[in-house]
Amino acid sequence: MIGVIFSVVVPILITVSIGFAWTRLGYRLNSKELTALISDVATPCLIINTFQETRLTSDAFLSLALATGTAIILFICVGALLLWILSLRIRTFLPSIAFPNAGNLGLPVSLYAFGTEGLGYAIAFFSMSLVANFTLGQAIAAGQANWRGLIRLPILYSVAIGILLSLSGATLPQWAKTTVGLIGDMTIPLMLLMLGSSLSLLEVTAFWRAALVSSIRIGFGAAIGITVAAVFGLTGSMRAVLILQCANPVAVYNYLFAQRWNNQPEEVAGVVVLSTLFSIVTIPLLLGWLLAGS
């Protein structure tokens, strides 16, 4: 069991650390061009290729989509209540509680722990979470939703294509399938390097506030994931992936939105960094519990 957990977690930590160190040494890794390449080209290719490989059934996809939507709603409701009780600024901290890092951390963990099937479920969660983050998350931070920005996201169209291919049983021509697979394979390593690079540029301010919000994000995220999985009757790798995704640290996008809308970005940066550091401990523990079949 310990060997399996280490084989999943250690490669991720090493890759993130390389991205962190690379940027600290003064090399550019977090450029807008590379970010656009990952989000607009590589990730859509990964999504299409994964749906081709996994062939999720319509029932499985619908169950996970409904469970994901329910979890996000609960994140928002529970998060807003807790922040109000703790007298913390809802507009600043609620997106951090509501939207986990389901992409550049959630995807590799799910892939390495549960294989291609797990990656398919993780992408379904990530897709819905990304849509919610770009609408509800940005609306909370900015006071308005960025619908135009959402429509321009290539990931939405890749999800639609992937679902259509998966449910219809259709297959891309071999040349197209090979190309999509080749480009998609670079996504997860680049995501992890970019995560490390992003973390190297952020600072932790107001430590105890950041620690409190980080604990809420991970702890209540896991609790909500376990509850939602039980309510929807999820089992196996689908259940495990949902819980893992729900318990991930804060998404880096939340810092970018806070910075863009001048919504106390230094506070959000602290939560992103600290919650990611916490996850170095919490993800292996949760993964061990899930792999043990609890």
Side-chain angles (χ1 to χ4, degrees), residues 40 126-138 144-159 257 260:
D40 296 344
F126 168 58
S127 302
M128 290 201 64
S129 179
L130 188 67
V131 170
N133 202 352
F134 267 79
T135 52
L136 294 175
Q138 191 163 190
Q144 60 183 7
N146 183 15
W147 294 106
R148 290 184 179 180
L150 181 65
I151 293 172
R152 289 195 297 266
L153 285 177
I155 190 173
L156 295 182
Y157 304 103
S158 65
V159 170
F257 291 153
R260 177 178 180 182

Side-chain angles (χ1 to χ4, degrees), residues 1-2 4-6 8-9 113-114 244 281-294:
M1 178 67 67
I2 294 176
V4 173
I5 295 171
F6 268 84
V8 172
V9 175
F114 302 103
L244 276 173
V281 176
T282 59
I283 286 179
L285 291 175
L286 185 59
L287 191 58
W289 179 72
L290 291 169
L291 290 174
S294 298

Side-chain angles (χ1 to χ4, degrees), residues 256-292:
L256 299 178
F257 291 153
Q259 191 175 49
R260 177 178 180 182
W261 301 109
N262 194 28
N263 184 28
Q264 295 185 290
E266 68 286 346
E267 292 273 5
V268 179
V271 179
V272 172
V273 173
L274 211 54
S275 65
T276 304
L277 291 176
F278 285 179
S279 71
I280 295 174
V281 176
T282 59
I283 286 179
L285 291 175
L286 185 59
L287 191 58
W289 179 72
L290 291 169
L291 290 174

Side-chain angles (χ1 to χ4, degrees), residues 96 99-102 133 217 249-255 268 272:
S96 296
F99 303 106
N101 191 344
N133 202 352
R217 160 87 292 279
V250 178
V252 179
Y253 271 122
N254 294 314
Y255 168 71
V268 179
V272 172

Side-chain angles (χ1 to χ4, degrees), residues 70-99 140 212-221 223-224:
T70 302
I72 291 173
I73 291 172
L74 289 174
F75 292 158
I76 293 172
C77 294
V78 173
L81 177 61
L82 290 174
L83 291 173
W84 177 75
I85 292 172
L86 295 169
S87 299
L88 295 176
R89 193 167 184 257
I90 291 177
R91 183 184 164 200
T92 298
F93 294 111
L94 183 56
S96 296
I97 294 174
F99 303 106
I140 295 169
L212 182 57
V213 176
S214 297
S215 300
I216 293 172
R217 160 87 292 279
I218 294 174
F220 279 88
I224 288 173

Side-chain angles (χ1 to χ4, degrees), residues 155-269:
I155 190 173
L156 295 182
Y157 304 103
S158 65
V159 170
I161 293 171
I163 292 172
L164 182 63
L165 291 172
S166 181
L167 298 184
S168 67
T171 303
L172 292 172
Q174 188 59 46
W175 63 267
K177 185 176 181 181
T178 302
T179 302
V180 167
L182 183 65
I183 297 173
D185 284 345
M186 73 178 181
T187 307
I188 287 178
L190 284 176
M191 279 183 165
L192 292 173
L193 291 170
M194 284 289 291
L195 175 60
S197 178
S198 298
L199 292 176
S200 74
L201 301 174
L202 304 179
E203 297 180 359
V204 177
T205 61
F207 178 85
W208 292 111
R209 264 198 309 276
L212 182 57
V213 176
S214 297
S215 300
I216 293 172
R217 160 87 292 279
I218 294 174
F220 279 88
I224 288 173
I226 293 169
T227 302
V228 171
V231 170
F232 281 85
L234 304 185
T235 58
S237 59
M238 186 187 297
R239 171 181 178 270
V241 167
L242 177 78
I243 295 171
L244 276 173
Q245 288 284 53
C246 287
N248 271 319
V250 178
V252 179
Y253 271 122
N254 294 314
Y255 168 71
L256 299 178
F257 291 153
Q259 191 175 49
R260 177 178 180 182
W261 301 109
N262 194 28
N263 184 28
Q264 295 185 290
E266 68 286 346
E267 292 273 5
V268 179

